[in-house]
Amino acid sequence: MHKTAEIIKVGIADMNMVKVPDLIRTTGLGSCVGVVLYDQAREMAGMAHVMLPDSSLSRAEPLNKAKFANTAIKELLNALIKAGARPSGIKAKIAGGAQMFQFSGSSDMMRIGPRNVEAVLHELKELRIPVIAQDVGGNSGRTIEFDPKTGFMQIRTVNKGNSEI
Amino acid sequence: MTFLKSISDVHLDILKEVGNIGAGHAATALSTLLNKKIDMKVPSVRVVSFDEVMDLAGGADNVVASVFLRIEGDAPGSMFFILPLPQAEKYIGQLTKNYSFSFSEEPDNELALSALQELGNILSGSYLSSLSDFTKLSLYPSVPALSIDMVGAVISFGLLELSQVSDYAIVIDTALDEEDAQLPDSVNGHFFLLPDPDSFHIIFSALGVRVDA
C-alpha cells in the first residue's frame, strides 16, 4: 500500500525533517535563508528557516536554535544523524537571503539578507557539508519545496516563476 | 517571551487606542484622497507568534502590495500598509485614471508603482504624525519602500528587531474598508504597527502608564 505524500511545513525560525515520500516546504523567504540538509541515499532531508546570522544577537531565553545560522545548522545536522542519516552523505542546498527593500538607512539590519547567506555558508563550511546548489540574493521572496527522493529543490518567486536547483 | 511578561490587558488597551488614533487619521487621509467614505475597523492588538503575524496578513505565501517604513526617533519600530493586489490595482486606477492596470500584465509600470508608493506614504505618514502628536514623542518615518511580493518575505523584515528578544510580536492591526466596496470580502487595507521591543515602555510612559519591569 502506498503512503500518500504529505508536505511538511517549516515556519519562520523553525526546522523539521522528512523522509520519502513526504516533501518539506517553507513559504515566503525574504531576507531569511532556507537551508536544506539531505542524505539522498537514506532518502531523508531536514530544513531550517534561518532568520538571523548569529545567536549572539539574541537577548531571549531560552534560545530558539532554529532562528540563527550558527545554531540551526548544527542542530539540524545532529537531528538528521540521530534519525539515521550518514554524516558523510549529507549535502546542502540553500535559497533566500534577498534584499526585499532598498533603503539608504545605515542600520546593519538593512543588509540582513546577505549577512544571513554569509553566515549560513560559513557554518556549512565549518561543518564540512558540501553546498550542492544555491539560489540566493536578489530582491524577490521565495517559496521552496524539497523532495528527499530526487534531491531537487523547487523554488517559486512572484516575478520569475518556478525554477529547480 | 520575557519582554512580554510585563504587558497587561491595560497596556494592550492603550496600544489599541494608539492604533485607533493613527489609523483614524490615515482613514481620513484616504477618504480625502479618493473622495470616498472609508470605514475603519476597531483595531486589534494581539500577541502572536511570527507565523501568526503572517496569517493575519493572509498567509506567508499570499502575494500583496505592501508599503514598509521604519519608524525612527524616540520609539523605533516598523510599519506596514498592506493591500491585496486587486485592491491595489483599484486604487492605482483611481489615482492614475488608468483603470486597466493589472500587476499580472504590467508589473513594472513605474507610474502605477509610484502612485501606490505615494498612497502608502501619505497614509503611513498621517498615521505616524497623529501618533506623534498624541504621545508627544518624536517619531520620524523613513522613506517608505514598496514591494509586491509574498507576505512572509515582506513582513519578516519588520520582525527582525523583535526576533532578537522574542519569538512573539505585538501586532497593532487596523483594517480600512471602503464603504461601498462591491467585493464580498472587502477588507481593503491593513496597517500593521510593530514597535521595536524597547519602544513599548517608551510609548507607555509617554502616555503616563507605568510598566512594572
Side-chain angles (χ1 to χ4, degrees), chain A residues 10-14 25 27-32 51-52 57-62 64 67-68 100-104 107 109-112 116 139-143 156-159, chain B residues 1-2 50-51 54 60-61 63 66-70 72 80 107 142-157 159-167 197-198:
Chain A
V10 177
I12 183 169
D14 183 20
R25 175 197 284 170
T27 50
L29 288 164
S31 60
C32 301
M51 205 174 175
L52 292 167
L57 290 166
S58 176
R59 291 186 274 148
E61 293 289 337
N64 174 3
K67 199 190 286 180
F68 305 95
M100 297 302 298
F101 298 98
Q102 306 298 327
F103 279 108
S104 49
S107 160
M109 281 300 161
M110 294 302 163
R111 53 174 305 274
I112 195 76
N116 278 336
N139 51 19
S140 293
R142 295 170 171 91
T143 284
R156 189 172 76 79
T157 60
V158 173
N159 294 319
Chain B
M1 49 197 284
T2 35
F50 291 165
D51 284 320
M54 311 305 175
D61 231 0
V63 179
S66 82
V67 175
F68 165 58
L69 59 86
R70 279 291 295 168
E72 287 151 17
F80 293 91
S142 72
V143 176
L146 175 71
S147 176
I148 314 295
D149 215 307
M150 302 167 191
V151 162
V154 169
I155 292 195
S156 58
F157 202 81
L159 297 173
L160 291 173
E161 295 291 339
L162 284 164
S163 74
Q164 297 172 47
V165 300
S166 176
D167 290 313
D198 296 338

Side-chain angles (χ1 to χ4, degrees), chain B residues 192-203:
Chain B
F192 285 124
L193 184 63
L194 298 164
D196 287 357
D198 296 338
S199 296
F200 286 102
H201 78 270
I202 297 168
I203 294 171

Side-chain angles (χ1 to χ4, degrees), chain A residues 10 40 79 93 101 121-123 132 135 147 158:
Chain A
V10 177
Q40 208 173 336
K93 290 191 180 184
F101 298 98
L121 290 173
H122 175 79
E123 190 63 26
I132 302 304
D135 177 29
D147 183 346
V158 173

Side-chain angles (χ1 to χ4, degrees), chain A residues 119-162:
Chain A
V120 163
L121 290 173
H122 175 79
E123 190 63 26
L124 289 169
K125 195 175 170 190
E126 290 276 301
L127 295 168
R128 298 170 194 278
I129 301 172
V131 180
I132 302 304
Q134 54 179 303
D135 177 29
V136 297
N139 51 19
S140 293
R142 295 170 171 91
T143 284
I144 61 171
E145 190 175 286
F146 189 85
D147 183 346
K149 177 84 184 168
T150 62
F152 281 118
M153 182 193 275
Q154 293 268 3
I155 302 166
R156 189 172 76 79
T157 60
V158 173
N159 294 319
K160 291 172 216 133
N162 296 318

